[in-house]
Amino acid sequence: MKWKRKAAQPAATACQLRSGAQPFGALKGYVPLGAGEAEMYHQLREALPVLDAAVGKLVRLSGGFAVKCRNEAAQGRLENFLRTVPTGYGQVGFDSFLSCYVDSLLTYGRAVGELVVADGRLQAVCWGDIASLEIREGENPLELVLCGPDERGFVRPLPYQDLLLFTTWQPEPKHPYGVSIFRGMPFLAEILLKIYAAIGSNWERAGNVRYSVICKGGEGMDASAAQERGSQMAREWVKAMEDGRNGTVRDFVAVGDVEIKVIGGEAPILDSEIPVRQLLEQLVAKTGLPPFLLGLNWSTTERMSTQQADILTSELWALRRTVEPAVQKVCRTFLALEGLDDRVEICWNDISLQDITQEAQANLYKAQTEKLRREANEGGAEQ
């Protein structure tokens, strides 16, 4: 009997940066995606409308896209699918899914989605709540395994990992699963909310005035008479105030030296314009948007300069490059399940942040320069 030797298998390439011994095998690789942190970022958006508006502006400015397939049949069917695909919660169209996906990516630093396949076809594309999931590394250090609660509440790996979409925003060595655009804001936001709460309390006190009524000249009066006089004056003051609320005017008449003051009337209200602006400048700078796009007109002639437009455009293109693999996976999965050529190109719409008149004038100058250069070259060649 001859024993056949198996061919030597090539050794797997070792990943030196993402591998390591783990003494607790059951806990190996598990990393929670921060439900508490996600709730804090959600409350930040609710507490400060400027932050909610910033995320909405970035989502809308990121724009839409078009697809380019190799043949017309695949082109038409894919465009119809992207236009009519259900995305859950009563929404239709891939643009609605992409908006929610980018919104989650910016708010929590990561986004998750799912491809719903039934009867051998891609029926829907849904986005999910990232705070309810956990993640761990797979057998290959370059693979990730998303885990979620089952029917009994135990956290287990989701069964169809190939149908899940997962994207991270600006991952770092310490935070490999992405960071939120709101990172670094909670400290400043807490101070800003304290200022707003103090402003509300001060104006509530100013609008609902409390009075201090002091009656002097009670010398030689015994304690019972002074108490009776004070009680009588308090009753008359209350009646005068209640009649004023009911629409009738009633004078307050008292005998003796009576002094009436507004409680806290001497204390000036602090000027909050400068500290609030300083805090908002820090928060808005983190979003990368010009202040006037968020309704903060700190200058009467404020407008977007060419440099600001270029920087914002680069930020939006970085956001597009981050979500493009997820978009390609959806398109290629649909084409493959339909038996079509799955090679597709994502063509993002142009980002226009400058004045159309200025752009047209710049294009005219370029065309005139090119014409003069061509005429000069032709004249030199003839000579």
Side-chain angles (χ1 to χ4, degrees), residues 193-209:
L193 291 177
K194 286 181 179 179
I195 296 177
Y196 287 158
I199 293 174
S201 300
N202 291 335
W203 281 100
E204 182 181 1
R205 189 179 299 111
N208 190 7
V209 182

Side-chain angles (χ1 to χ4, degrees), residues 26 28-31 134-138 143-147 157 177:
K28 180 180 179 181
Y30 271 99
V31 177
E134 292 183 356
I135 192 171
R136 69 174 180 179
E137 294 182 355
E143 295 179 357
L144 299 177
V145 178
L146 293 176
C147 305
Y177 302 114

Side-chain angles (χ1 to χ4, degrees), residues 8-42:
Q9 298 292 334
T13 303
C15 187
Q16 303 180 52
L17 298 180
R18 299 191 180 182
S19 60
Q22 172 58 264
F24 304 100
L27 303 178
K28 180 180 179 181
Y30 271 99
V31 177
L33 294 183
E37 186 180 5
E39 180 62 24
M40 179 181 62
Y41 293 146
H42 178 71

Side-chain angles (χ1 to χ4, degrees), residues 61-77:
L61 287 174
S62 60
F65 65 94
V67 292
K68 184 178 181 181
C69 300
R70 295 302 180 93
N71 57 75
E72 296 182 358
Q75 180 79 22
R77 295 175 67 174

